[in-house]
Amino acid sequence: MESPPLIVAPASPGATYRALQPEIDAAVAHALGSGWYILGTEGRSFETEFAAWLGTAHAVGCGNGTDALALALRGLGIGPGCAVATVSHTAVATVAAIEMAGATPVLLDIDPATYTLDPAALAALLDKPPVGLPPIRAVIAVHLYGQAADLDAILPLCERHAVVLVEDCAQAHGATLHGKRLSNFGEVACFSFYPTKNLGALGDGGAVATADPALAAELAALRQYGWRQHYVSDVVGINSRLDELQAAILRAKLLHLDAGNARRGAIAEVYDAALADGPVAPPARRADGTHVFHQYVIRVRDRAAVQAALRAQGIGTGVHYPVPVHLQPAYRGRVALGPTGCQATEAAAAEVLSLPMYPELTEAEVARVAAALRTLH
Ligand SMILES: *Cc1c(COP(=O)(O)O)cnc(C)c1O
């Protein structure tokens, strides 16, 4: 008997494209025919529509999520001589962006239940910063895997210590806390539209969202050579623009994002039920917010064996992330850690496992993953 086809995991941008192909192809054809390919009406319309969808005033498109974070820091005046705190359990991009802005990263541990910034680690850092570290000017809270970091505890700490909150929303398009979409809590929020994200382009893309019109104007200048008007660089900028093709694709896909997130939630419920009463716990969800399941992540002690067993049943998996940033060759021994270390991060990195999760999974595929999860009992 032929084995069932492998479920590409944990994401499948090609499946998302095929599901929306007529609309995306039409949007691309329209953008191609317009004769204008960088910073035109598609980009402006996407910025307006995405900001409205978030419930904020401004979104400024840029080249990718890493640039979004670096631009946000620069726009806030955070660079050389400033430290920025974030987690080590994140896409390396979060930390790379801090150094791109010229600032010094300091990496903190996570809460092992939600995999997001441990407020106690942040409090310990702000109370007693390591000797020799520049003043801490910002915290990047990463809303990892699709749900909010513990902003109820983080925001008061930021206020007390006069530290700016930047939200890394690259995995949390549309997730909420207390009924508000993430991006509405910090001074500024950064998004990636990498193809596998909940809202993905068919290439690179990113955006910075903010309620502050002055900051939005500064970001619009910084992303294009520091121009406020053509050919006049008021500040030293970079080139990081969202192109018209990607903006057109994102406009088409934005119309389906709520449905896609809802489908992810429904798939998560099937996986939760399959894991119920077994030895592997389903992912913890915050009671005060919604989770958009960018990843559905379980924790297993014998990860390689579980991955092999699932693969034998035609189910691919992923690991986000196998090596914490502070242990990667480019950062190891060089990047500062907070006073409480990164033990929960290191433990999680050895055990996290991402299951197939994208809206286009068929009912049969979801059932197949659920059946396999029951064999873990
Ligand atoms: C994807 C991602 C980024 C970086 O986005 P790019 O578009 O790849 O530059 C930053 N932070 C997090 C948490 C991400 O998942």
Side-chain angles (χ1 to χ4, degrees):
M1 210 178 87
E2 256 183 73
S3 59
L6 192 69
I7 297 174
V8 179
S12 180
T16 311
Y17 167 59
R18 284 187 296 279
L20 305 176
Q21 188 168 359
E23 287 156 75
I24 291 174
D25 288 359
V28 167
H30 181 80
L32 286 176
S34 75
W36 193 280
Y37 304 111
I38 297 277
L39 297 188
T41 54
E42 292 294 334
R44 275 195 298 278
S45 297
F46 173 69
E47 288 173 341
T48 304
E49 289 157 9
F50 189 57
W53 185 82
L54 291 171
T56 193
H58 305 278
V60 179
C62 63
N64 54 69
T66 313
D67 284 354
L69 287 159
L71 285 165
L73 292 172
R74 286 197 53 190
L76 292 162
I78 294 165
C82 306
V84 176
T86 192
V87 284
S88 188
H89 187 67
T90 182
V92 72
T94 313
V95 182
I98 296 170
E99 293 197 327
M100 277 169 65
T104 303
V106 50
L107 302 184
L108 298 172
D109 213 355
I110 51 167
D111 156 43
T114 59
Y115 306 104
T116 58
L117 176 60
D118 177 6
L122 178 61
L125 173 73
L126 293 173
D127 284 341
K128 224 175 188 301
V131 179
L133 193 75
I136 299 160
R137 297 278 315 282
V139 173
I140 302 180
V142 182
H143 302 311
L144 201 73
Y145 300 151
Q147 75 175 335
D150 189 355
L151 297 183
D152 289 340
I154 293 167
L155 268 166
L157 290 169
C158 290
E159 270 161 37
R160 187 167 338 129
H161 293 269
V163 164
V164 168
L165 177 66
V166 176
E167 294 178 72
D168 183 340
C169 295
Q171 301 192 5
H173 313 69
T176 65
L177 183 68
H178 305 306
K180 271 200 296 187
R181 287 200 157 139
L182 299 180
S183 77
N184 287 292
F185 295 87
E187 267 79 357
V188 68
C190 302
F191 289 86
S192 164
F193 307 121
Y194 184 78
T196 61
K197 309 290 186 182
N198 290 37
L199 178 60
L202 299 177
D204 273 314
V208 187
T210 180
D212 178 350
L215 179 57
E218 181 73 7
L219 292 165
L222 285 173
R223 75 171 166 186
Q224 180 167 239
Y225 322 127
W227 288 354
R228 271 183 252 279
Q229 69 188 76
H230 265 53
Y231 311 115
V232 182
S233 294
D234 280 333
V235 288
V236 176
I238 61 171
N239 174 6
S240 180
R241 299 174 293 215
L242 180 65
D243 69 67
E244 291 287 283
L245 277 180
Q246 298 307 332
I249 291 164
L250 289 166
R251 290 184 73 196
K253 291 181 82 173
L254 180 60
L255 301 174
H256 300 273
L257 181 51
D258 286 319
N261 283 344
R263 171 75 181 142
R264 288 171 185 267
I267 295 167
E269 277 176 23
V270 176
Y271 292 175
D272 283 357
L275 292 169
D277 307 319
V280 176
R285 303 162 181 228
R286 286 188 188 291
D288 49 7
T290 54
H291 194 317
V292 293
F293 287 100
H294 174 61
Q295 303 292 355
Y296 185 98
V297 174
I298 58 173
R299 248 180 114 137
V300 288
R301 205 152 287 150
D302 42 358
R303 181 168 64 200
V306 172
Q307 280 191 288
L310 291 175
R311 181 154 279 266
Q313 297 172 73
I315 296 162
T317 53
V319 176
H320 304 90
Y321 296 90
V323 185
V325 175
H326 71 278
L327 296 180
Q328 298 200 19
Y331 298 91
R332 181 176 209 137
R334 181 173 75 75
V335 75
L337 295 187
T340 52
C342 275
Q343 270 157 323
T345 294
E346 290 177 22
E351 296 184 355
V352 288
L353 185 64
S354 306
L355 300 179
M357 176 54 80
Y358 47 93
E360 296 73 26
L361 283 171
T362 64
E363 291 304 328
E365 288 170 326
V366 173
R368 192 139 65 79
V369 177
L373 293 178
R374 275 185 219 103
T375 67
L376 299 177
H377 283 222

